[in-house]
Amino acid sequence: MPQHWVLHVDMDQFLVAVELLRRPELVGKPVVVGGRGDPTERAVVSTASYEAREHGVRSGLALKLAHRRCPEAVFLPVDFPVYEEASARVMETLRAFPGATVEVLGWDEAFVGIETDDPVATADQVRAAVFEATGLHCSVGIGDTLVRAKIATDFGKPQGTFMLTRDTWMEVMGARPTTALWGVGNRIGARLESIGIRTVADLAGAEEEALVAAFGPTNGPHLGRLGRGGGRSRPDDTPWVARAHGRETTYQHDLASAEEVLAAITELAERVVADCGKEGREVARVHLKVRFAPFFTFTKVRKLAGPTLDVEVIAQTAFALYLALDDTRPVRLLGVRGEMVPPEGGY
């Protein structure tokens, strides 16, 4: 009888790969996609080709620094509509597999739950089908839980397949640092190390009481499950419902006055209200993100007196949060986020 497996499908260098289909002459060259494609501007790398990664260029790196590390790279602007179209074709291909349950994680990755006697052969079929439909390569992680499938993918990249199960989890992952786990970053890793947990095996064997004491009754047990590769074993294709909508902008020239900041916040608030209005849900809390020159970032949040889609109320609330920082340094980035009231029936 076929067994249930989780496949984690992750597109290889997705944005770059889409661009290479349009610009085949760039294949084999270092390519960086980010911002408006101008490395003299303030923007970050969205995706870098494997050739650019060899020079230390990674997602999230400032374009200016990316250019210093790899001056011969070709820089291209982000083209959202093209990537969305390519992503839609990928997800349509995955959903076409008989009996597949597809949980979309983003433009370029998804979990696929499927019954099969041969998960490796099925994963290879998925990779072939995606390539045939889109001309794009992907890697597939196979697991008996979502966590194991997700982590397995990195071992299969690029254009490959790798399997992690309960039987092989500790052999492959046990000696690795906790930061090798999905969702464990450097900050959490440092906190774990401070209580004597350095490796995945350490975390897997940690007493739940110690994890609860350090991380709380929800996050503590969750980290323990991560260490064991546990958690959900079946993807969920329930449509995702947004809790908030946000907009942010990095300014090419710093905002030097309160008047400039208010005007910029108002423009962001207008866009946030338009996004929330499309869902028919009002904003209950306003979040503000401010990055002062050269690179000092602060976030603040305030609950509104009552839910609203009034741009002025949202903008003035965000501006009041800015004024409360009492900081006169020039502003290089602003972000406004509207946290919406829950939909009927909740999330």
Side-chain angles (χ1 to χ4, degrees):
M1 184 175 180
Q3 182 180 341
H4 183 272
W5 291 93
V6 180
L7 309 182
H8 175 248
V9 180
D10 195 359
M11 305 305 296
D12 295 329
Q13 56 174 20
F14 179 57
L15 306 191
V16 168
V18 173
E19 294 294 348
L20 294 180
L21 290 178
R22 300 198 286 181
R23 300 173 172 85
E25 71 277 7
L26 297 180
V27 172
K29 297 181 179 180
V31 176
V32 177
V33 176
R36 296 190 294 188
D38 185 346
T40 67
E41 294 186 346
R42 290 176 176 172
V44 298
V45 175
S46 295
T47 303
S49 68
Y50 293 117
E51 293 80 6
R53 295 177 196 184
E54 292 175 0
H55 295 266
V57 178
R58 295 288 186 273
S59 297
L61 187 72
L63 288 187
K64 290 180 181 179
L65 184 54
H67 186 260
R68 285 203 291 271
R69 291 185 180 181
C70 189
E72 67 271 29
V74 177
F75 288 80
L76 300 174
V78 175
D79 192 342
F80 290 110
V82 172
Y83 310 145
E84 288 169 352
E85 180 185 354
S87 175
R89 283 188 281 127
V90 170
M91 301 308 163
E92 181 182 347
T93 302
L94 299 180
R95 293 188 181 101
F97 273 78
T101 300
V102 179
E103 180 177 335
V104 178
L105 292 184
W107 268 350
D108 60 347
E109 60 176 326
F111 288 117
V112 179
I114 199 160
E115 306 281 336
T116 177
D117 287 321
D118 190 341
V120 174
T122 301
D124 290 341
Q125 291 167 11
V126 166
R127 292 195 300 110
V130 169
F131 182 76
E132 182 178 355
T134 66
L136 301 170
H137 291 286
C138 65
S139 299
V140 180
I142 305 166
D144 45 10
T145 66
L146 273 65
V147 167
R148 291 182 184 129
K150 169 78 172 175
I151 293 174
T153 312
D154 285 339
F155 293 97
K157 279 186 167 291
Q159 299 180 33
T161 301
F162 194 86
M163 178 187 290
L164 267 178
T165 67
R166 171 184 288 185
D167 294 335
T168 61
W169 173 257
M170 206 52 67
E171 175 188 348
V172 175
M173 296 297 297
R176 295 178 182 273
T178 57
T179 50
L181 294 169
W182 179 25
V184 178
N186 291 331
R187 188 172 300 176
I188 297 296
R191 289 177 62 189
L192 286 167
E193 188 165 353
S194 72
I195 60 173
I197 297 173
R198 296 175 176 81
T199 67
V200 173
D202 292 339
L203 182 56
E207 293 290 336
E208 185 168 298
E209 290 79 4
L211 294 173
V212 168
F215 295 94
T218 299
N219 290 332
H222 170 68
L223 286 168
R225 286 191 296 273
L226 275 181
R228 297 185 293 275
R232 283 197 292 137
S233 61
R234 292 181 179 271
D236 182 357
D237 60 359
T238 304
W240 179 75
V241 178
R243 293 177 179 265
H245 286 290
R247 297 283 188 158
E248 69 175 48
T249 299
T250 298
Y251 301 97
Q252 297 307 316
H253 302 284
D254 293 340
L255 307 181
S257 68
E259 291 77 16
E260 286 180 296
V261 171
L262 176 58
I265 283 176
T266 301
E267 189 271 334
L268 292 170
E270 289 172 347
R271 295 163 66 190
V272 167
V273 166
D275 292 338
C276 295
K278 291 176 183 176
E279 304 214 21
R281 293 158 60 198
E282 296 181 314
V283 173
R285 289 181 176 83
V286 174
H287 299 245
L288 177 72
K289 177 180 176 182
V290 184
R291 180 166 296 150
F292 295 101
F295 212 85
F296 298 93
T297 306
F298 300 88
T299 56
K300 295 288 183 180
V301 60
R302 180 172 295 175
K303 183 178 180 180
L304 298 174
T308 183
L309 287 174
D310 187 313
V311 171
E312 184 174 357
V313 170
I314 293 169
Q316 288 296 333
T317 301
F319 186 57
L321 290 171
Y322 162 74
L323 293 176
L325 291 170
D326 194 24
D327 196 321
T328 59
R329 287 176 292 186
V331 172
R332 62 179 295 164
L333 176 149
L334 285 170
V336 174
R337 182 168 175 260
E339 185 179 335
M340 298 177 288
V341 296
E344 288 187 21
Y347 293 105

